[in-house]
């Protein structure tokens, strides 16, 4: 039995189907490209690569921060207040040595208590208080008020000789302390600018100790107690501040700006107790 012939409607459907297939084949590249762009737009953009972490550097400090890290003007008060109290009380009480010594020791203890309450460093208080105790013990043993200044004279002599020797052997004390504080060892000695700067700064304090001895020793030998006390105070707080400023200025002027900034930042942060 012969197959039925397709009618006009079926032939038209077949032609339309063939045309659609041909059209799809022609448009296939454009459709694939459009699909690829659409997929790419929907994907999240790749995150930029994070740079490798660098070791944290200490925040940059200023000259004022450096001075405050050393103790500022409060450090000078810690060191000098007991001596001022001794001189005033001794003169006001008609040379009552015992009372003057008690007041001097009490002043040192009071400063220490105040620093503890305010949670401030005690390094300057401790040094000054120990000096007062030793001086009071010597004066009390001899019964002579002027002997309260003997430990100070010997201390100036010892420190002056020590500082001078370190400069002469090219190991200035300030450079050694810098290497210890910054944990850089002796690296500073390989830098001529730093060696020269630390030597000059150390010599400033050699001059400080020498001037104290030149002025105070003759007064001690002559027994001029009031003049000796005034010289002690005058060559203590004000003169120490002047020497500190001069050593600071000499060191800063001896180093290139970048090296000075680095040295100041390291010392300042470590004196504050910040190890970073």
């Amino acid at each position: 039995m012969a197959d039925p012939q397709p009618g006009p409607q079926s032939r038209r459907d077949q032609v339309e189907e063939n045309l659609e297939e041909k059209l799809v084949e022609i448009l296939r590249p454009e459709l694939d490209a459009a699909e690829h762009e659409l997929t790419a737009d929907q994907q999240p953009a790749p995150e930029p690569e994070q740079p490798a972490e660098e070791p944290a550097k200490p925040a940059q400090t200023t000259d004022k921060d450096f001075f405050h890290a050393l103790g500022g003007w409060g450090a000078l008060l810690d060191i000098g207040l007991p001596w001022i109290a001794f001189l005033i009380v001794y003169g006001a009480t008609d040379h009552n040595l015992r009372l003057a010594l008690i007041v001097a020791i009490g002043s040192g203890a009071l400063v220490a208590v105040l620093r503890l309450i305010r949670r401030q460093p005690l390094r300057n208080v401790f040094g000054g208080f120990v000096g007062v105790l030793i001086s009071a013990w010597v004066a009390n043993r001899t019964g002579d008020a002027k002997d309260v200044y003997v430990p100070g004279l010997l201390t100036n002599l010892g420190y002056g000789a020590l500082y001078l020797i370190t400069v002469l052997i090219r190991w200035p004390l300030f450079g050694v302390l810098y290497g210890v504080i910054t944990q850089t060892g002796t690296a500073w000695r390989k830098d001529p600018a730093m060696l020269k700067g630390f030597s000059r700064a150390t010599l400033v304090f050699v001059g400080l100790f020498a001037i104290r001895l030149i002025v105070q020793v003759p007064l001690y030998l002559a027994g001029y107690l009031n003049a000796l006390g005034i010289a002690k105070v005058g060559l203590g707080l004000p003169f120490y501040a002047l020497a500190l400023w001069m050593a600071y200025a000499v060191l800063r002027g001896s180093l290139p700006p970048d090296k000075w900034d680095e040295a100041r930042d390291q010392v300042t942060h470590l004196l504050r107790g910040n190890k970073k």
Side-chain angles (χ1 to χ4, degrees), residues 21 23 34 61 66 97 108 113 136 141 146 164 167 178 186 238 243 267-268 276:
E21 292 178 356
L23 183 61
T61 61
F66 178 78
L97 177 60
V113 171
R141 291 278 295 181
K146 72 175 184 179
L164 180 59
V167 174
Y178 172 82
T186 60
V267 174
T268 301
K276 297 181 180 180

Side-chain angles (χ1 to χ4, degrees), residues 137-265:
W137 179 81
V138 172
N140 189 60
R141 291 278 295 181
T142 64
D144 192 341
K146 72 175 184 179
D147 287 341
V148 76
Y149 300 107
V150 168
L153 295 175
L154 296 177
T155 300
N156 282 303
L157 179 62
Y159 275 129
L162 174 63
Y163 279 48
L164 180 59
I165 291 173
T166 63
V167 174
L168 293 177
I169 64 176
R170 298 179 62 81
W171 283 87
L173 187 59
F174 282 1
V176 175
L177 293 176
Y178 172 82
V180 173
I181 291 175
T182 61
Q183 301 177 1
T184 55
T186 60
W188 57 272
R189 293 194 77 242
K190 301 176 183 178
D191 189 324
M194 298 192 80
L195 177 59
K196 181 173 67 174
F198 287 129
S199 296
R200 290 177 174 178
T202 305
L203 282 174
V204 169
F205 273 78
V206 173
L208 163 72
F209 299 128
I211 292 174
R212 284 177 174 176
L213 291 172
I214 291 172
V215 173
Q216 294 181 38
V217 169
L219 295 176
Y220 172 81
L221 294 177
Y224 296 146
L225 185 60
N226 290 337
L228 184 58
I230 294 173
K232 172 73 176 181
V233 174
L235 294 177
L237 298 178
F239 203 58
Y240 179 84
L242 177 61
L244 182 64
W245 177 84
M246 289 181 63
Y248 175 84
V250 164
L251 181 58
R252 182 176 59 183
S254 301
L255 298 180
D258 57 334
K259 291 183 180 179
W260 165 246
D261 290 341
E262 180 183 358
R264 182 194 60 213
D265 292 347

Side-chain angles (χ1 to χ4, degrees), residues 61-70 72 248 264 268 272:
T61 61
T62 64
D63 294 351
K64 184 178 180 180
D65 294 329
F66 178 78
F67 183 67
H68 281 231
L70 291 174
Y248 175 84
R264 182 194 60 213
T268 301
R272 288 173 169 176

Side-chain angles (χ1 to χ4, degrees), residues 24-25 32 36 59 65 83 107 134 151 159 176 195 261 276:
V24 169
E25 291 179 1
D32 291 343
H36 177 73
D65 294 329
W83 300 106
S107 299
I134 296 174
Y159 275 129
V176 175
L195 177 59
D261 290 341
K276 297 181 180 180

Side-chain angles (χ1 to χ4, degrees), residues 66-84:
F66 178 78
F67 183 67
H68 281 231
L70 291 174
W73 298 108
L76 307 182
L77 183 63
D78 295 343
I79 297 171
L81 181 60
W83 300 106
I84 297 174

Side-chain angles (χ1 to χ4, degrees), residues 96-107:
N96 188 329
L97 177 60
R98 186 175 296 274
L99 179 59
L101 293 175
I102 292 174
V103 172
I105 295 173
S107 299

